[in-house]
Amino acid sequence: MGQTAIAWLNELTTLYTPTESEFNAARRHRSAIETRLDAHLGLREMFEIGSLRHGTGVWNRSDADFLACLKGIQPGSPWTMLNKVKETLQDRFPTTEIVIRRPAVVCRFSDADVEVVPAYPAISGYEIANPSDGWMRTYPKNHNQYVNDVNKKHNGAAKKLARQVKIWKYLRNVPVSSCYLEMRSAKHLDGENTYSPIWDLYLTLYKMQAANLASMNDPTGLGSRFGACSSDSNRQVALSKLNTAVSRAEKAKDAYRTDDNAEAVRQLKLLFDR
């Protein structure tokens, strides 16, 4: 008897779960970054916001992401903030390539990429650089809590599903936001009473297709909408790949429903390019 579709999907998920060495690299660099920013710019707090620590990261793909809330007066332009952080960290790590990739300053260490998102406190949430222009409000603690709550409701399934959709993104080179995929996955499971791996993978992809990768409302009700892609051209590429993914996920779901595990696994392999 061959491998079941669920067993194959679980094996893939395990294969792309980040290793302890990735976490250790992030720990090593965090301390040095935090000390430097606090000494030269003043730091209110710094905490991890990315998928690596949150439990939805993908092995060898996800960076360590930290929000660094700075002291002082918020400048008129986020570029002032980003440039100050970049210059401060470049002085501390002169042999490391450090670049600005809004809203983050990216430190490309030899063993890991670390993204630092500079921020200033708001009445609620934080003000960070908008990827397009100006400032934007973000609520990372609330968003993480929302995903954690849905994950708890389904005994860990929300983060597993989010990781699987991100694996598809990376293996198929889909230019879509990882944050968008995570929130779409959690939003889907938030409306479900039970979790079925093959079905919910299909339904998550299908719902994004039905929405044409439109921006989604913040499910916490706090922030602005979550955008899917950085440009319309990327959105068209992502939609094309999503259409193919939905077709394959549907065939895998239909085969699984009739206990044809061999065909279900074949379609999953096509879906994830394995």
Side-chain angles (χ1 to χ4, degrees), residues 15-19 22 52 57-63 111-112 170:
L15 179 64
Y16 281 93
T17 297
T19 63
E22 292 180 81
L52 186 62
V58 177
W59 172 74
N60 210 29
R61 302 297 199 285
S62 298
D63 299 336
D111 57 349
Y170 288 116

Side-chain angles (χ1 to χ4, degrees), residues 221-241:
L222 292 171
S224 56
R225 290 162 66 82
F226 288 93
C229 303
S230 60
S231 67
D232 187 61
S233 60
N234 279 344
R235 180 172 168 272
Q236 295 306 316
V237 172
L239 272 173
S240 176
K241 295 190 175 188

Side-chain angles (χ1 to χ4, degrees), residues 121-185:
I123 296 176
S124 63
Y126 303 86
E127 293 286 335
I128 64 172
N130 191 312
S132 56
D133 188 34
W135 296 91
M136 64 179 287
R137 187 74 56 88
T138 185
Y139 302 85
K141 294 179 180 178
N142 302 85
H143 295 151
N144 280 352
Q145 188 59 53
Y146 171 75
V147 175
N148 285 338
D149 289 343
V150 179
N151 195 56
K152 183 177 180 181
K153 172 184 173 182
H154 289 283
N155 298 313
K159 292 186 179 183
K160 180 185 289 186
L161 177 61
R163 176 172 282 142
Q164 289 164 355
V165 178
K166 291 180 185 180
I167 292 171
W168 163 73
K169 159 196 164 79
Y170 288 116
L171 295 187
R172 283 294 181 184
N173 297 311
V174 187
V176 62
S177 162
S178 292
C179 181
Y180 180 86
L181 296 179
E182 180 165 330
M183 299 309 290
R184 281 286 189 190
S185 300

